[in-house]
């Protein structure tokens, strides 16, 4: 018995010793799949130029004190060299716990988290409700679908500018509120009303995507499951809880993750609705834009640091979200 074990162990050791190195494995893989490498090479090149290089440049800027006054520039025939200096992690420390960090970062961070949570909740609940409605056999269902998807099909700037006109002091919204003898908020001037207006506009623009995605998920659930549940005496709520929601789990997890990422980085709605004004309604992404392009001097280093912080937050959230989904799938499986 000992001889057999030793022989097996020796054989396994020889196999591990004879395993080709990384360079050799890469050569063999290229020789076997050279066509696939050739096909993806342009994509990798484009991503490297458009994504990886700007990301690396942005990370480098966060470690400097670069702004519009000390960057290399050309004035007439005179070329002024760059004079910014390496400062390490000073920008991150200044943003997170430097003087005035609450007004410059944490207040916008809290509002961004609240904005994301409220908007994604409204997107999902309203989208699911409309998807359930359109999944029924209704007369004119195709026309309803077309009308409900229009807010998503219309370009964002058209949607936001239309809402901006309606939310103005003499706009349609306040006219209706006046007719109903209700208070008329300054949707574009008062801090709390600005936040409510931003959520309302973003909800209008984001619900159709959720509705279409969840409607596709509903149509993929086998009708036999509902028939079996109905024969077992399940109520409408029980069918929704034990058949519909589990059947939508994979679709829901994907659209909620996409919704969080898109809403967290939602630049268009806030910027087109308020510009660089409305400081209380600025998200982290619009505040970063304001630092880099909406003031003099332009603070490129701090703006880039905000971008890296945003990216880090989303990476951490995505990692924990995927792990939470995996645990839930194991528990339900």
């Amino acid at each position: 018995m000992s001889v057999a074990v030793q022989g097996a162990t020796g054989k396994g050791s020889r196999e591990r010793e004879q395993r080709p190195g990384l360079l050799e494995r890469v050569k063999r893989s290229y020789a076997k799949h050279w066509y696939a490498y050739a096909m993806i090479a342009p994509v990798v090149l484009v991503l490297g130029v458009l994504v990886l290089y700007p990301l690396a440049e942005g990370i480098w800027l966060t470690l400097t004190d670069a702004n519009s006054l000390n960057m290399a520039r050309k004035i007439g025939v005179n070329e002024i060299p760059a004079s910014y200096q390496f400062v390490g992690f000073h920008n991150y420390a200044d943003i997170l716990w430097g003087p005035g960090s609450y007004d410059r970062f944490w207040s916008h961070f809290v509002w961004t988290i609240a904005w994301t949570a409220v908007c994604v909740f409204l997107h999902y609940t309203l989208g699911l409700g409309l998807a359930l409605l359109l999944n029924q056999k209704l007369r004119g269902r195709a026309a309803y679908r077309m009308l409900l998807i229009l807010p998503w099909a219309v370009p964002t700037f058209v949607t936001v500018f239309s809402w901006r006109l309606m939310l103005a002091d003499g706009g349609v919204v306040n006219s209706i509120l006046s007719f109903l003898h209700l208070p008329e908020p300054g949707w574009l001037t008062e801090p709390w009303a600005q936040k409510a207006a931003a959520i309302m506009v973003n909800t209008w623009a984001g619900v159709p995507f959720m509705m279409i995605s969840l409607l596709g998920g509903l149509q993929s659930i086998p009708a036999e499951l509902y028939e079996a549940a109905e024969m077992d005496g399940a109520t409408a709520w029980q069918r929704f809880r034990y058949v519909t929601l589990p059947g939508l789990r994979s679709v829901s997890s994907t659209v909620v993750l996409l919704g969080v990422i898109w809403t967290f980085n939602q630049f268009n709605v806030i910027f087109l609705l308020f510009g660089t004004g409305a400081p209380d309604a600025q998200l982290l992404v619009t505040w970063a834009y304001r630092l880099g392009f909406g003031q003099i001097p332009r603070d490129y280093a701090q703006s880039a640091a905000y971008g890296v912080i945003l990216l880090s937050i989303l990476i951490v959230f995505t990692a924990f979200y995927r792990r939470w989904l995996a645990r839930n799938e194991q528990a339900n499986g």
Side-chain angles (χ1 to χ4, degrees):
M1 179 66 69
S2 61
V3 174
V5 172
Q6 291 176 359
T9 305
K11 183 179 179 181
S13 300
R14 287 194 301 271
E15 288 179 353
R16 285 195 295 270
E17 291 174 359
Q18 295 173 359
R19 184 181 180 185
L22 177 61
L23 183 59
E24 182 64 26
R25 293 200 301 272
V26 171
K27 289 181 178 179
R28 292 181 182 180
S29 176
Y30 178 76
K32 185 177 181 180
H33 305 292
W34 65 270
Y35 184 76
Y37 283 105
M39 294 297 291
I40 67 173
V43 178
V44 174
L45 180 62
V46 171
L47 288 177
V49 173
L50 298 181
V51 178
L52 297 181
Y53 172 74
L55 179 60
E57 183 71 15
I59 293 175
W60 161 247
L61 285 177
T62 66
L63 305 177
T64 68
D65 60 352
N67 57 49
S68 58
L69 301 180
N70 56 26
M71 292 285 288
R73 58 196 183 278
K74 186 175 182 179
I75 302 178
V77 295
N78 299 320
E79 293 187 5
I80 303 176
S83 59
Y84 59 84
Q85 298 178 351
F86 179 82
V87 297
F89 294 101
H90 171 75
N91 288 313
Y92 297 102
D94 182 56
I95 289 171
L96 296 176
W97 52 76
S101 59
Y102 178 79
D103 293 330
R104 293 185 294 113
F105 176 78
W106 291 109
S107 61
H108 300 292
F109 174 77
V110 172
W111 161 232
T112 302
I113 297 297
W115 148 275
T116 303
V118 173
C119 286
V120 173
F121 174 78
L122 292 175
H123 289 169
Y124 185 83
T125 53
L126 294 177
L128 179 58
L130 291 172
L132 290 170
L133 181 64
L134 293 180
N135 198 40
Q136 306 296 321
K137 294 182 179 180
L138 300 174
R139 179 177 297 178
R141 183 171 56 177
Y144 295 144
R145 290 181 182 178
M146 185 184 306
L147 290 175
L148 289 172
I149 203 175
L150 275 179
W152 188 50
V154 173
T156 305
F157 75 92
V158 175
T159 300
V160 178
F161 285 159
S162 299
W163 273 100
R164 184 166 181 168
L165 290 174
M166 292 190 293
L167 292 172
D169 290 339
V172 176
V173 175
N174 278 352
S175 299
I176 295 175
L177 294 176
S178 175
F179 177 78
L180 298 174
H181 302 288
L182 296 175
E184 302 175 39
W187 298 105
L188 304 178
T189 55
E190 298 176 12
W192 71 269
Q194 290 172 338
K195 294 180 178 181
I199 291 174
M200 184 163 50
V201 175
N202 191 58
T203 300
W204 170 268
V207 164
F209 169 75
M210 286 285 185
M211 178 193 70
I212 293 299
S213 302
L214 294 173
L215 180 60
L218 287 173
Q219 293 178 345
S220 67
I221 300 176
E224 293 80 4
L225 295 177
Y226 290 103
E227 295 173 359
E230 191 171 358
M231 291 178 62
D232 289 339
T235 62
W237 167 250
Q238 289 173 331
R239 293 196 297 272
F240 174 75
R241 180 178 179 183
Y242 296 108
V243 178
T244 303
L245 290 182
L248 289 175
R249 185 178 292 117
S250 60
V251 176
S252 297
S253 61
T254 302
V255 295
V256 167
L257 178 60
L258 292 175
V260 168
I261 294 173
W262 292 341
T263 307
F264 193 84
N265 284 325
Q266 179 58 262
F267 176 85
N268 297 334
V269 170
I270 300 297
F271 183 76
L272 294 175
L273 202 58
F274 306 116
T276 55
D280 292 330
Q282 297 295 323
L283 304 176
L284 287 175
V285 64
T286 55
W287 188 256
Y289 173 85
R290 182 177 182 177
L291 290 175
F293 302 97
Q295 66 178 23
I296 299 296
R298 299 176 177 180
D299 197 338
Y300 299 133
Q302 290 256 336
S303 179
Y306 271 83
V308 173
I309 291 173
L310 283 168
L311 177 62
S312 303
I313 292 172
L314 289 176
I315 289 175
V316 171
F317 168 78
T318 303
F320 278 99
Y321 182 75
R322 288 174 62 85
R323 185 173 299 179
W324 176 73
L325 288 177
R327 282 203 303 266
N328 282 351
E329 289 180 2
Q330 291 177 357
N332 295 326

